[in-house]
Amino acid sequence: MNDEQWMRYAIRLAQRAEQQGEVPVGALIVYHDDCIAEGWNQPIQTNDATAHAEIVALRKAGQRLGNYRLLDCTLYVTLEPCVMCMGAIAHARIKRLVFGAYDPKRGAVCHALQLAEADFLNHRIDWCGGVLETDCAQLLTDFFKARR
């Protein structure tokens, strides 16, 4: 599968979050062309501030591979990761990050912070943003519009 196909999968996971009353963000981790973990935002449901889609997927992938270092893995997520998630992504040694919508206010890949290329991290993450950006952004826009 290619990046757009995997992002469509992440969008379906984001829709699952929305059905549960959570901010619609979905994530999955691919290893050797196989999805090994998936996650969606769950902080409200689990009463856990760290239960972002990326963190949920990272935890599951670590369990699946029996290692917290997720070498040669690609993480797909519908929204540019926040600072917490980028820290976890770097510590997990994710090889490649692909995200949909940019987050100019809180994004920690290339907006509010540029952690993908921070000198103080000992791991560099190859990243690509804007994959199915319009579809990913629309999910969030519609969600927050319905809440107002």
Side-chain angles (χ1 to χ4, degrees):
M1 289 182 26
N2 64 31
D3 287 348
E4 286 190 7
Q5 291 170 311
W6 286 120
M7 191 59 69
R8 287 188 204 293
Y9 185 164
I11 289 170
R12 290 192 301 274
L13 296 171
Q15 291 166 336
R16 202 178 285 181
E18 183 175 25
Q19 291 166 357
Q20 297 173 1
E22 303 277 0
V23 175
V25 178
L28 60 104
I29 297 177
V30 174
Y31 179 68
H32 297 299
D33 298 319
D34 182 35
C35 177
I36 61 166
E38 58 185 40
W40 54 90
N41 271 3
Q42 301 174 38
I44 297 168
Q45 180 181 340
T46 62
N47 296 310
D48 179 356
T50 69
H52 288 194
E54 300 94 311
I55 302 295
V56 172
L58 288 168
R59 288 176 178 153
K60 289 178 180 178
Q63 292 297 310
R64 173 95 183 262
L65 295 181
N67 193 338
Y68 77 94
R69 290 188 178 189
L70 304 175
L71 305 173
D72 297 321
C73 289
T74 299
L75 188 148
Y76 291 87
V77 61
T78 56
L79 179 65
E80 181 180 352
C82 70
V83 64
M84 174 184 70
C85 291
M86 276 305 292
I89 289 165
H91 284 290
R93 309 296 196 274
I94 288 290
K95 182 176 184 175
R96 186 166 177 258
L97 168 66
V98 180
F99 63 88
Y102 290 91
D103 188 349
K105 291 182 183 178
R106 288 168 295 282
V109 177
C110 58
H111 280 93
L113 294 170
Q114 294 84 42
L115 293 181
E117 298 162 14
D119 289 336
F120 62 85
L121 293 174
N122 63 351
H123 177 67
R124 293 285 176 265
I125 302 160
D126 180 27
W127 64 273
C128 174
V131 175
L132 297 181
E133 178 181 5
T134 303
D135 295 339
C136 293
Q138 194 64 51
L139 273 173
L140 293 160
T141 299
D142 292 348
F143 176 81
F144 287 112
K145 196 179 286 185
R147 296 277 187 264
R148 292 184 186 129

